[in-house]
Amino acid sequence: MERWFEFMGNHPVLFGLLAVLIIAFFAIEGKRSGRKVSPNELGLLVNNQNARIIDIRAANKFAAGHITGSQNIPFGELKNRLTELQAIQVPVIIVCDIGMQAGAAVQLINRPNFMRLAGGIQGYQAAGLPLVGAKKK
């Protein structure tokens, strides 16, 4: 660790360049994956702007528990339905298990009205919001 501080002191330009590249990487990755919507914001978008929710998890996971009013289109089927999805004009929130695959789906569809649910279904449940069809423990 001591050598790291010595390097920073001896090469401030290199260290500054490294910092700028790291910040740029995270900024670009965040934009590529689409805008994140919090579980609370999801309800507002659905109620105020008639947003649609598309769950891209496998059919068995969807059946085990999903957000009220969501439509299931497994991730593997998205390419076959791209034209249909890109024609949607209202806001669309893509949902997956933890939010990572939804980012890839938003990138694939490549429309500004498509967003992903931050934290996915797990984040939604962690916020204390209920799922339809979920078995109570």
Side-chain angles (χ1 to χ4, degrees):
M1 189 68 161
E2 190 175 304
R3 296 197 72 183
W4 179 249
F5 291 121
E6 181 182 341
F7 174 81
M8 288 189 301
N10 292 336
H11 306 285
V13 174
L14 287 176
F15 182 72
L17 182 62
L18 175 65
V20 168
L21 289 174
I22 290 172
I23 292 169
F25 171 77
F26 285 109
I28 291 170
E29 278 301 307
K31 287 183 181 179
R32 272 186 24 189
S33 307
R35 180 175 155 232
K36 290 182 185 177
V37 173
S38 71
N40 295 327
E41 191 180 355
L42 172 76
L44 292 173
L45 284 169
V46 169
N47 292 333
N48 297 336
Q49 297 181 28
N50 295 323
R52 289 180 55 185
I53 305 168
I54 297 178
D55 193 322
I56 60 170
R57 298 176 301 145
N60 60 341
K61 287 185 176 183
F62 181 80
H66 58 273
I67 299 170
T68 302
S70 61
Q71 175 186 4
N72 183 232
I73 304 175
F75 185 77
E77 294 179 21
L78 288 178
K79 284 187 180 179
N80 300 335
R81 300 180 70 176
L82 257 161
T83 308
E84 169 192 344
L85 293 169
Q86 290 174 336
I88 299 172
Q89 298 299 314
V90 295
V92 178
I93 296 90
I94 304 290
V95 178
C96 66
D97 285 320
I98 60 172
M100 298 303 290
Q101 199 172 34
V106 168
Q107 190 175 358
L108 174 71
I109 297 165
N110 196 24
R111 297 275 292 143
N113 59 320
F114 277 73
M115 298 159 262
R116 63 187 170 126
L117 180 62
I121 286 290
Q122 290 181 11
Y124 188 83
Q125 286 182 296
L129 299 168
L131 298 178
V132 175
K135 294 179 182 175
K136 296 184 181 189
K137 296 179 182 178

